[in-house]
């Protein structure tokens, strides 16, 4: 959810910076559908790269989590989960790929819906301005 909201805010900021380009496209005679498709593809590129990099980094960290914690413990010269205090001295991690798939699907659909809404909002605002001008 945090990833999806950050992508949404990035896309909204990019679209606000692209209002000048949208107005030029309107002046050249582009229809709302063309502008919608261009910015939807633009957001799809962000979503796909974000999902690929985020999932790969998350899986990489989760597969080497014990070694990462051991290196941090060696560097700080302390033990996070001491066997004197806790009955386990490691953090159990199990990767369930179906859950990862559902999370990716949820994030993808959430970003598509929210970016579509923001694109339509900007297009509607700009079409009203171009009609009034």
């Amino acid at each position: 959810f945090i990833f999806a909201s950050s992508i949404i805010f990035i896309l909204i900021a990019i679209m606000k910076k692209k209002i000048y380009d949208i107005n030029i496209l309107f002046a050249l005679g582009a229809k709302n559908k063309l502008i919608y498709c261009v910015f939807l593809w633009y957001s799809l590129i962000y979503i796909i790269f974000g999902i690929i990099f985020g999932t790969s980094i998350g899986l990489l960290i989760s597969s080497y989590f014990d070694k990462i914690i051991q290196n941090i413990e060696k560097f700080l010269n302390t033990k996070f989960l001491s066997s004197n205090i806790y009955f386990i001295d490691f953090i159990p991690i199990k990767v369930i790929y179906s859950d990862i798939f559902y999370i990716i699907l949820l994030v993808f659909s959430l970003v598509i819906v929210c970016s579509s809404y923001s694109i339509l909002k900007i297009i509607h605002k700009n079409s009203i301005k171009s009609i009034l001008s």
Side-chain angles (χ1 to χ4, degrees):
F1 186 75
I2 293 170
F3 165 74
S5 62
S6 66
I7 292 289
I8 291 165
F9 289 129
I10 288 171
L11 287 172
I12 289 171
I14 287 171
M15 284 182 237
K16 285 186 178 182
K17 288 182 181 180
K18 298 283 184 178
I19 286 177
Y20 181 73
D21 297 334
I22 293 171
N23 287 333
I24 290 175
L25 288 173
F26 273 128
L28 292 174
K31 302 291 182 196
N32 288 345
K33 187 175 181 179
L34 175 69
I35 295 170
Y36 176 78
C37 290
V38 166
F39 282 100
L40 190 64
W41 275 108
Y42 197 68
S43 64
L44 281 174
I45 291 170
Y46 272 102
I47 295 167
I48 290 171
F49 281 120
I51 285 174
I52 289 171
F53 289 129
T55 305
S56 60
I57 289 171
L59 288 174
L60 188 69
I61 288 174
S62 66
S63 65
Y64 293 109
F65 192 73
D66 288 334
K67 292 180 182 178
I68 293 170
I69 294 296
Q70 288 173 358
N71 287 334
I72 292 173
E73 287 176 347
K74 284 180 187 175
F75 179 72
L76 296 176
N77 199 16
T78 186
K79 188 94 169 136
F80 291 134
L81 297 174
S82 177
S83 61
N84 297 339
I85 301 171
Y86 303 105
F87 64 94
I88 59 171
D89 59 348
F90 63 95
I91 298 175
I93 294 176
K94 181 179 178 184
V95 177
I96 302 171
Y97 291 103
S98 62
D99 289 346
I100 292 171
F101 174 74
Y102 292 135
I103 290 170
I104 289 172
L105 190 66
L106 176 72
V107 166
F108 188 79
S109 60
L110 184 65
V111 170
I112 289 294
V113 167
C114 292
S115 64
S116 297
Y117 172 73
S118 62
I119 292 168
L120 289 174
K121 187 176 165 184
I122 288 174
I123 287 174
H124 181 45
K125 183 192 292 186
N126 283 339
S127 62
I128 290 173
K129 281 183 183 178
S130 65
I131 290 170
L132 293 175
S133 298

